[in-house]
Amino acid sequence: MVEHLVSIITPVYNVENQILQCVNSVNQQTYKNWEHILVDDFSQDNTIETLKNLASKDKRIKVISLGKNSGAGFARNIGIKNANGRYIAFLDSDDYWANNKLEKQIAFMQLNNYPFTYSRYFEFDNESGDLITLVKAPPKVTYKMLLINGGYIGCLTVVYDTVFFGKKYMPEIRKRQDWALWLKMLKDIDCAYGVMEPLAFYRMGNTSLSKSKIKLVKYNFMVYKRELNMSYLESIYRMALFLIFHFFFKSHLKEKLKN
């Protein structure tokens, strides 16, 4: 395996009590050729001081501070714009990775010549840290599959190859921007491929935007209508299919764990 530079993009906002776990999980990667770009979205706590302290100890950690709060999509795009790596990876500030995540996923991509990959991941409790569920992402995801289920691909697991795609940016909407980007990328390839083991850990019980499920409906419609240029009627049809899947079939992707 050739260790090309991986640019890890992390939007950051008011996570002074959680950011160390995120950054440490990157520092402990067995794959060493990375840069960690942390974009602070105008935090109001001591997050930025913590980030600057971390960056002073490791030149691979790069901190960008925004002058106003602009949302996770905008912050991620600033990170992508400043990225130098062949591979772009995503990790939110309250989540973390297994220490062999990059090594396994980059090897998987290079061995099979895959430009867009993801992995399975665990969901864990914010208070106790206990693992709650295993999110069983399928071996591959097509554009049609992702249209009806945005949960197939977890943002914290994605890596894409800029040699194939160039730099791809997220729509600057407050929610569902990652799902919209995956859909646009899947228009250019047959499918994305998944590593069939959990390599990341997603924090449950936080106050992130993704938790307001009912509010996601209008953003889903916005993705169909504005980002994918579907007609009004087709957007309604796709929205209906999405909701049916979410309420009746989504549970098959998750396996509850016994603690």
Side-chain angles (χ1 to χ4, degrees):
M1 177 179 65
V2 179
E3 284 205 359
H4 293 289
L5 181 65
V6 178
S7 297
I8 303 155
I9 310 301
T10 298
V12 179
Y13 181 69
N14 288 351
V15 285
E16 61 177 320
N17 296 323
Q18 300 165 345
I19 191 61
L20 281 176
Q21 187 175 35
C22 169
V23 173
N24 286 340
S25 76
V26 174
N27 289 346
Q28 293 165 7
Q29 289 298 300
T30 53
Y31 186 105
K32 299 300 182 183
N33 192 15
W34 51 261
E35 61 177 0
H36 194 180
I37 303 175
L38 298 117
V39 184
D40 183 73
D41 195 17
F42 203 58
S43 292
Q44 300 302 299
D45 59 3
N46 293 318
T47 296
I48 190 64
E49 288 76 13
T50 301
L51 294 179
K52 288 179 179 179
N53 181 54
L54 292 167
S56 70
K57 299 175 181 178
D58 191 331
K59 65 180 181 180
R60 296 174 297 177
I61 298 174
K62 303 175 181 180
V63 178
I64 298 172
S65 183
L66 301 182
K68 64 178 181 178
N69 182 262
S70 302
F74 182 87
R76 289 192 187 106
N77 286 345
I78 293 295
I80 295 168
K81 182 178 180 180
N82 286 274
N84 299 300
R86 170 172 177 171
Y87 298 103
I88 302 291
F90 299 95
L91 175 62
D92 282 354
S93 56
D94 51 357
D95 303 328
Y96 66 97
W97 284 345
N99 64 4
N100 60 351
K101 197 262 189 190
L102 288 180
E103 181 182 4
K104 288 206 168 188
Q105 197 161 346
I106 299 301
F108 177 68
M109 295 176 76
Q110 292 185 4
L111 178 64
N112 297 287
N113 197 29
Y114 293 153
F116 178 15
T117 66
Y118 54 91
S119 78
R120 294 183 169 187
Y121 62 97
F122 290 114
E123 295 176 331
F124 70 98
D125 183 75
N126 181 47
E127 298 298 328
S128 67
D130 293 337
L131 301 183
I132 302 172
T133 51
L134 167 63
V135 181
K136 301 183 293 182
K140 61 182 181 180
V141 174
T142 65
Y143 175 77
K144 288 184 178 180
M145 289 171 64
L146 201 65
L147 276 176
I148 62 169
N149 180 22
Y152 278 131
I153 299 177
C155 184
L156 73 165
T157 74
V158 166
V159 180
Y160 76 81
D161 187 351
T162 63
V163 169
F164 181 89
F165 287 106
K167 286 187 176 181
K168 290 291 188 178
Y169 296 90
M170 295 191 175
E172 290 176 6
I173 52 180
R174 281 282 177 173
K175 306 177 187 180
R176 309 304 275 165
Q177 67 275 153
D178 52 344
W179 176 52
L181 176 58
W182 315 151
L183 284 166
K184 289 182 178 182
M185 293 172 69
L186 281 171
K187 284 187 172 183
D188 297 331
I189 56 177
D190 292 333
C191 57
Y193 292 91
V195 178
M196 291 293 94
E197 61 180 286
L199 297 176
F201 300 81
Y202 178 85
R203 188 181 303 271
M204 299 290 289
N206 59 18
T207 56
S208 65
L209 289 173
S210 61
K211 294 301 168 186
S212 303
K213 296 295 186 181
I214 195 66
K215 294 181 180 179
L216 291 181
V217 172
K218 72 173 183 179
Y219 287 94
N220 279 25
F221 186 83
M222 188 183 300
V223 168
Y224 291 131
K225 183 72 171 62
R226 192 177 77 181
E227 302 300 332
L228 300 179
N229 297 313
M230 293 182 178
S231 68
Y232 188 82
L233 287 178
E234 185 177 5
S235 297
I236 293 175
Y237 170 71
R238 293 294 178 185
M239 190 70 249
L241 290 179
F242 188 99
L243 290 172
I244 290 170
F245 187 94
H246 179 81
F247 286 110
F248 296 103
F249 301 105
K250 191 176 181 180
S251 61
H252 83 277
L253 292 176
K254 295 189 177 185
E255 176 184 331
K256 290 187 177 182
L257 304 175
K258 295 180 180 179
N259 295 314

